[in-house]
Amino acid sequence: MSEPNSKPSRDSAATRSTAAKARRTAGKATAPASKAADKAAATSADTASKAKDAAKDTAGRTAGTAGQAVQTAARSVDAGRQAVVAASGQAAALARTAWTVISHRRLVAAGVGAGLTALSATSYAVGRRAGRCAHGPITRLTGGRI
């Protein structure tokens, strides 16, 4: 016989067996999908791990590249600084020379005048000597009268 339904909250035996069969059938039907989901989860976890490792490697390489870029920039700044120091030293030397010339302008003018005078006298003497004819000793002695 069947059980009395004294407890309405309790399921009947037929309901329980039908529910159990449905669970087994659902389990069998979803087993391949469940296995595939487990494989996909494992694969995605593996892929995530590989992506994490690749990100770490990329971050390390990026940090190394950034460090090299900073070092290169520092070297460039240092080279620029040295070029500015050298250029300012040359400008200072040029300014010092110009100031010396300006402060001693009278001596410079006198030296230039003396040099031009000596050059003119030398060129005049050389020109006069080159323009003379070759005379003998007696003609030279008498000044060209004989």
Side-chain angles (χ1 to χ4, degrees), residues 101-113:
V101 168
I102 290 170
S103 66
H104 296 97
R105 64 185 178 274
R106 291 181 187 144
L107 294 173
V108 171
V112 168

Side-chain angles (χ1 to χ4, degrees), residues 4 37 39 41 43 50 52 55 61 65 67 74 78 88 91-92 101 105 113 121 130 139:
K39 285 182 184 178
T43 304
K50 288 179 183 178
K52 183 179 176 183
R61 289 184 191 133
T65 303
D78 189 44
S88 65
V101 168
R105 64 185 178 274
T139 309

Side-chain angles (χ1 to χ4, degrees), residues 138-146:
I138 296 174
T139 309
R140 278 191 303 235
L141 192 61
T142 59
R145 292 188 193 120
I146 302 176

